[in-house]
Amino acid sequence: MTVQATIEQKIISSLTPAHLEVINESFMHNVPPGSESHFKLVIVSDNFDGESRVKRQQAVNRIL
């Protein structure tokens, strides 16, 4: 399983997002071709209602 697929699976099972984008930005960094080391996530989930940006980030960090 790829790193991207693992990230998607963990986020979906933990947050059941209404919208999820997992964007591999590794090509923008000094890493070997085909690397999976840098990702940008766009997540829309009811679990984030009323949470600060910091709390949302901490929740995602705990999941991953």
Side-chain angles (χ1 to χ4, degrees):
M1 182 180 288
T2 66
V3 174
Q4 184 168 348
T6 302
I7 291 170
E8 291 170 351
Q9 179 184 11
K10 287 181 177 185
I11 296 297
I12 289 169
S13 66
S14 298
L15 297 175
T16 55
H19 177 78
L20 173 63
E21 290 179 58
V22 180
I23 304 155
N24 186 346
E25 294 186 340
S26 300
F27 70 94
M28 297 168 41
H29 299 272
N30 188 21
V31 296
S35 292
E36 290 187 288
S37 57
H38 295 79
F39 291 90
K40 174 178 153 182
L41 278 67
V42 178
I43 306 168
V44 178
S45 174
D46 289 340
N47 294 22
F48 292 148
D49 285 351
E51 296 291 339
S52 70
R53 184 175 182 183
V54 171
K55 293 290 184 188
R56 295 189 307 251
Q57 181 67 48
Q58 288 171 339
V60 171
N61 288 344
R62 277 192 302 276
I63 293 165
L64 298 178

